Amino acid sequence: ALFERAKQAAEGSNLAWASSSSSSSLITSSRSKRNAAAGSSSGASTHLVGQLDSESLGLDAKRKWGQAEALSREASKQVLSEAHVVCATCAGAGDPMLAEMHFNVVVIDEATQATEPATLVPLTQGAQCAVMAGDPCQLPPTIVSRQAYTFKLDKTLFDRLQQEVGLAPLLLDTQYRMNPAISKFPSRHFYDGKLQDGVLAELKPAAAGVTWPVKDHPVIVVALRGLEEKAQKSGEKAQKGRSGGAAASSADVTAEVGLEDASYRNLPEARVALQALYALMKAGDAATGAILTPYKGQVRSLEHGLRVLAPWFAGMEISVSSVDGYQGREADVIVFTAVRCNSAGKIGFVSDPRRLNVAITRPRRGLVVVCDPETLAQGSSNWSKFMAFADQQGYVCGPQQLPTAPWQEEGLDPFSKDAVTAVATAVGGDGVGVGSRRGTAASLLSSSDEEYAYTP
């Protein structure tokens, strides 16, 4: 009832403000006409009356809005006082409205993704018992301040209690998301073989659309020696292929803390990733799909490719994201492109085992990893073990394992300078929805897509 009264007061305030504005506008118009007809004395009088009416309506609007806010606060306090459970973010737990309330039990979900200062906020509400749930084998909170690292603020309270106090966490040891073939390596490598499968392979069958190297095992590692590039935000490019030697370590360090002015991309891998995602989604067996990558530069490349190829991907529930941005989410099929490809085995923060774990545990029914196995194995012991596992299982193959995409049959490259024109011609030639489909790619492109106006 209080919320309803607050709503009515707010609506009354909006009406008063609207009337105030309308009155001011009408008086101004009326004054102009009367000035022309009756002289300035009459106009000045009319203007004074109109100004008083407008100010009165404005004061009424402020009064009603104040009533609405007061009623809303009162209603919120009443609801909170009667609630047995209150849900909030860590920062939201510090709201003044909760200041006088005490909670005997505090449960913090995703505690391994919250900074220690953030975690302390809900714990100051009189907690006698605290439960923190999270996965220390997955990514930690994002820290954008270099100074924060010097004070070890990248370490969560969850980790501190485990590592410095010796409080052993309890493992929720059954997973229900993935086909058992997908969960096999993560269970063995990250969870000491303790992670069990609570779902049969028959209930998470391999997605259709591609020929999996091992039947009913929906995992492919597409080995590809691509071209690693450092892509500046401004669009400037400095090629760093396999023959380019060591990568710039400073860019990797700043990229890890989210302060980089540059990122990496690998267009050959992007082409194969789009090809794989299309094959899996076009089959109609998978409802959702995503392409994941560690680098924002590759995300931008993939988004550009999807805009150019929009006529073919229309109607599909797909997304492109960084690995970090996709933590906590899942999809039927996941295509991961690792990007890094150089003779020195420099892979930067891709070497973080937690990032690897997140990347390969997002899919339910199909995982495609597009990468240069040699670079990754050389740059990280964790990636080396994953590649050895994939090779032993028979999952490693070349791009020829994937079916040819329709734009490839037309000889179209989404990253060529003539891509938009070529796509418009190709989709317009089928006689179906020529006008609307031809405009799709061009209408979705923006000035940022000029970065791809060249043939690599």
Side-chain angles (χ1 to χ4, degrees):
L2 286 172
F3 278 121
E4 183 61 31
R5 288 172 58 193
K7 178 182 175 182
Q8 291 173 358
E11 290 174 346
S13 175
N14 289 333
L15 287 173
W17 278 116
S19 299
S20 174
S21 300
S22 176
S23 173
S24 178
S25 176
L26 288 172
I27 291 302
T28 300
S29 175
S30 175
R31 183 184 60 168
S32 297
K33 293 179 181 179
R34 293 183 182 182
N35 279 343
S40 59
S41 177
S42 176
S45 176
T46 303
H47 170 58
L48 181 59
V49 173
Q51 185 177 9
L52 291 173
D53 288 343
S54 179
E55 291 178 354
S56 176
L57 288 169
L59 291 172
D60 185 50
K62 290 180 180 180
R63 180 180 60 80
K64 289 180 177 178
W65 188 257
Q67 290 177 348
E69 289 185 328
L71 287 168
S72 180
R73 285 194 297 271
E74 184 181 349
S76 297
K77 288 181 179 180
Q78 181 175 322
V79 170
L80 289 170
S81 66
E82 297 175 355
H84 294 285
V85 177
V86 175
C87 297
T89 62
C90 286
D95 190 286
M97 198 171 293
L98 300 176
E100 298 179 2
M101 299 186 67
H102 296 277
F103 301 93
N104 294 332
V105 178
V106 173
V107 179
I108 304 176
D109 192 18
E110 298 292 358
T112 55
Q113 283 189 271
T115 62
E116 185 169 5
T119 307
L120 292 175
V121 175
L123 295 180
T124 59
Q125 296 295 109
Q128 298 177 8
C129 172
V131 178
M132 290 185 284
D135 188 349
C137 294
Q138 295 196 6
L139 289 169
T142 300
I143 306 294
V144 298
S145 168
R146 291 173 180 165
Q147 190 175 10
Y149 277 92
T150 64
F151 292 103
K152 298 182 179 181
L153 289 176
D154 57 317
K155 177 172 284 190
T156 65
L157 182 60
F158 189 105
D159 291 334
R160 195 180 299 279
L161 290 173
Q162 181 182 355
Q163 298 168 9
E164 299 180 13
V165 180
L167 185 61
L170 301 175
L171 176 67
L172 300 179
D173 60 2
T174 306
Q175 72 85 17
Y176 299 92
R177 173 186 297 162
M178 298 166 276
N179 178 291
I182 301 174
S183 66
K184 187 173 183 179
F185 176 79
S187 173
R188 178 187 301 180
H189 185 68
F190 296 111
Y191 303 100
D192 299 323
K194 297 177 181 178
L195 186 63
Q196 305 299 313
D197 296 307
V199 60
L200 298 175
E202 292 77 12
L203 298 177
K204 300 285 184 178
V210 302
T211 302
W212 302 101
V214 179
K215 186 178 180 182
D216 297 328
H217 285 222
V219 181
I220 296 180
V221 175
V222 180
L224 178 68
R225 293 191 174 184
L227 180 65
E228 171 190 304
E229 298 177 301
K230 184 189 290 185
Q232 300 287 344
K233 287 184 178 180
S234 61
E236 297 178 358
K237 299 164 286 295
Q239 292 190 1
K240 297 170 61 62
R242 286 188 57 79
S243 60
S249 59
S250 61
D252 294 331
V253 173
T254 54
E256 187 170 4
V257 298
L259 298 174
E260 81 283 6
D261 184 54
S263 189
Y264 288 91
R265 71 181 187 186
N266 188 320
L267 296 185
E269 283 193 12
R271 293 184 183 94
V272 174
L274 291 168
Q275 176 186 356
L277 182 64
Y278 178 81
L280 290 165
M281 297 301 296
K282 183 62 176 177
D285 190 42
T288 58
I291 303 180
L292 306 184
T293 180
Y295 292 100
K296 294 178 182 178
Q298 188 76 336
V299 169
R300 292 194 295 268
S301 298
L302 291 162
E303 289 175 340
H304 166 87
L306 284 175
R307 287 194 293 271
V308 173
L309 302 175
W312 286 285
F313 283 94
M316 297 181 182
E317 189 174 337
I318 56 177
S319 60
V320 175
S321 174
S322 65
V323 175
D324 299 52
Y326 210 77
Q327 179 162 288
R329 300 170 61 186
E330 60 186 78
D332 286 334
V333 294
I334 292 291
V335 179
F336 173 74
T337 161
V339 178
R340 302 310 294 267
C341 180
N342 57 75
S343 58
K346 298 290 186 178
I347 64 174
F349 67 86
V350 180
S351 64
D352 191 327
R354 297 169 296 185
R355 191 164 279 106
L356 167 61
N357 188 23
V358 172
I360 63 177
T361 56
R362 301 304 94 198
R364 291 186 283 261
R365 299 174 47 217
L367 171 65
V368 178
V369 178
V370 184
C371 65
D372 176 20
E374 184 178 336
T375 297
L376 297 181
Q378 186 180 355
S380 162
S381 61
N382 294 286
W383 274 105
S384 179
K385 291 176 182 178
F386 175 76
M387 292 304 168
F389 168 83
D391 188 58
Q392 181 184 30
Q393 297 292 316
Y395 296 154
V396 183
C397 63
Q400 67 276 5
Q401 184 75 15
L402 302 173
T404 304
W407 61 86
Q408 293 173 322
E409 294 176 350
E410 297 286 343
L412 302 177
D413 178 5
F415 302 110
S416 70
K417 63 180 180 180
D418 299 322
V420 177
T421 302
V423 169
T425 301
V427 300
D430 61 8
V432 180
V434 176
S436 59
R437 295 184 67 190
R438 176 176 295 177
T440 302
S443 64
L444 288 173
L445 295 179
S446 63
S447 59
S448 63
D449 293 291
E450 294 175 0
E451 179 180 348
Y452 301 92
Y454 75 105
T455 303

